[in-house]
Amino acid sequence: MMLRVGIIGAGGIAQGRHIPAFQQLGDKAKVTAISDVNVEVAKTAALKFHVPNYFTSYVEMWPHVDAVVICTPNKFHREITIAALNAGKHVLCEKPMAMTVEECSEMVEAEKRSGKVLSIAYHYRHMKESQAAKRVIEAGEVGNPLVIRVQALRRRKVPGWGVFTNKELQGGGSLIDYGCHLLDLTLWLLGNPAVREVSGQTYNTLSREAEQVNQWGSFEAETFEVDDHVTAYMRLENGATVLFETSWAANIPDDAEMLRISGDRGGLDVFPFMVNKAENGMMTTTKADWISGEDDPGLPQARNFVDSCLGIAEPLVTAEEAMNTSRVIEAIYASSLMGKAILLQNEEGVKKV
């Protein structure tokens, strides 16, 4: 059986990742329709990728597809996901899942009613380094995680295109756009433990300065209203703690991506991948000479989604797991706004927020 896939929103992420990935899956899947509110964008993408149908309304594509990939601004994720599931279509929705946890919950309920697949495009889980880290953790080499350090830092790379700096359409900035990937990856590697307490702080000072130095295009500094730098501290139900930081703009020497887990038996770094041990009178760091897997995580992501829709695999990213990531994002923003820690779960494990 071949899965007919529709693309909703024909911007950069659709053309740069999703459409090429699905078109590499051979007879398993075919991109049969594209929709975008801008008809010229939809038409241009359809011609470029030889897709037979294009529309300005995603509802028009229902007869032509079995599944859809949602690549719109975050504000529309909930609406389109629920409409697609109600129409009997499987859904791969770009990250973050939605603007709020409440919206995520409505999407999960729609998935349950429909009996269809809803997965979220947290593609960092599909990276070969991430898969290697998961194998090492599941083999017990780390033991019980104790302290996790996470950085998703860009020095001066505010996205100057699209609607990335529009709070109404996106819900936030560096955290909800970029840091969410490393946050989601962290929770997944740890086995999706509940986050008990979150303390966070957001900043947007640098991106509001009059004279901008930015590597990724220009933007209106005077109207910049989202976060460009975020820090957080999290307590997990298993006793581990997470030190988290993400940025689009920071006065640091270099961009940095780090996910470092220190456990009671060993530790590991995901980027670049290495395992750290102290045993037999030695301290050792083992680096990987080669890691199996795809260099482009978009390909295994597309393959996993198609196989899940066809009933021969399980989604690597479930909707409920993605909702938990959104719950932490929402708590970080709330903590910054309120100036205090947010309790998500009490000592008895009862959810508070």
Side-chain angles (χ1 to χ4, degrees):
M1 177 180 175
M2 180 181 69
L3 192 76
R4 300 174 302 161
V5 179
I7 307 294
I8 302 176
I13 198 69
Q15 297 191 42
R17 175 173 295 134
H18 293 295
I19 299 175
F22 282 100
Q23 290 187 332
Q24 292 182 63
L25 297 183
D27 294 336
K28 276 191 173 183
K30 180 179 181 180
V31 179
T32 54
I34 294 174
S35 76
D36 195 283
V37 293
N38 186 323
V39 65
E40 288 303 318
V41 171
K43 180 180 179 180
T44 300
L47 291 173
K48 177 180 178 181
F49 292 99
H50 308 289
V51 176
N53 305 288
Y54 65 91
F55 310 96
T56 55
S57 169
Y58 59 83
V59 175
E60 295 180 81
M61 71 163 56
W62 294 159
H64 305 275
V65 301
D66 307 304
V68 297
V69 184
I70 299 173
C71 305
T72 66
N74 302 339
K75 181 178 181 179
F76 308 109
H77 287 184
R78 169 198 165 276
E79 168 198 326
I80 301 173
T81 293
I82 293 175
L85 290 170
N86 288 345
K89 312 303 175 185
H90 303 286
V91 176
L92 175 63
C93 180
E94 256 301 330
K95 58 75 197 170
M97 186 172 177
M99 299 276 274
T100 67
V101 175
E102 182 178 356
E103 290 184 353
C104 294
S105 181
E106 293 176 12
M107 294 162 70
V108 169
E109 290 305 312
E111 177 195 25
K112 291 176 180 177
R113 291 193 306 269
S114 71
K116 298 298 180 179
V117 171
L118 170 58
S119 186
I120 310 302
Y122 278 118
H123 71 269
Y124 271 57
R125 294 198 197 185
H126 294 272
M127 290 182 173
K128 58 185 181 180
E129 296 88 352
S130 303
Q131 291 291 317
K134 189 69 167 176
R135 293 193 294 270
V136 167
I137 291 170
E138 290 181 341
E141 293 193 40
V142 171
N144 297 313
L146 302 173
V147 178
I148 301 90
R149 297 169 176 85
V150 184
Q151 290 184 329
L153 302 176
R154 292 173 181 158
R155 182 175 180 175
R156 291 294 175 118
K157 289 178 178 174
V158 176
W161 61 88
V163 297
F164 285 98
T165 62
N166 186 316
K167 188 173 184 178
E168 180 184 356
L169 294 178
Q170 294 294 91
S174 60
L175 171 58
I176 207 167
D177 166 61
Y178 177 37
C180 66
H181 276 301
L182 275 291
L183 177 58
D184 176 81
L185 177 58
T186 298
L187 296 175
W188 176 66
L189 288 175
L190 297 178
N192 295 296
V195 178
R196 179 159 287 169
E197 185 180 55
V198 173
S199 181
Q201 183 65 51
T202 68
Y203 304 87
N204 68 356
T205 302
L206 297 185
S207 296
R208 294 176 65 86
E209 294 177 347
E211 294 186 10
Q212 287 296 321
V213 176
N214 191 55
Q215 291 181 268
W216 283 2
S218 60
F219 57 93
E220 296 294 331
E222 59 271 18
T223 59
F224 189 90
E225 56 183 356
V226 296
D227 50 283
D228 62 8
H229 201 163
V230 176
T231 59
Y233 181 80
M234 306 164 212
R235 297 179 186 273
L236 310 185
E237 65 173 349
N238 58 11
T241 54
V242 179
L243 294 82
F244 173 84
E245 182 183 11
T246 187
S247 70
W248 278 345
N251 285 325
I252 54 178
D254 298 294
D255 296 352
E257 267 190 355
M258 179 183 75
L259 202 172
R260 177 171 293 162
I261 301 174
S262 175
D264 60 6
R265 293 189 62 187
L268 62 81
D269 284 35
V270 181
F271 308 113
F273 183 82
M274 61 186 76
V275 177
N276 312 301
K277 292 286 188 72
E279 57 188 5
N280 302 317
M282 298 178 290
M283 290 187 290
T284 61
T285 297
T286 304
K287 299 181 179 179
D289 294 325
W290 179 81
I291 301 175
S292 62
E294 304 283 351
D295 290 329
D296 175 12
L299 184 55
Q301 176 176 257
R303 185 184 299 115
N304 175 252
F305 176 64
V306 170
D307 287 347
S308 298
C309 296
L310 297 178
I312 58 178
E314 294 295 326
L316 183 65
V317 184
T318 69
E320 291 193 348
E321 290 170 355
M323 181 168 65
N324 285 335
T325 300
S326 289
R327 181 175 287 110
V328 177
I329 292 170
E330 191 171 275
I332 293 172
Y333 283 136
S335 175
S336 182
L337 181 64
M338 299 169 67
K340 66 177 185 179
I342 301 297
L343 188 65
L344 294 177
Q345 187 185 72
N346 65 20
E347 295 297 327
E348 288 72 42
V350 178
K351 292 180 180 178
K352 302 290 288 184
V353 177

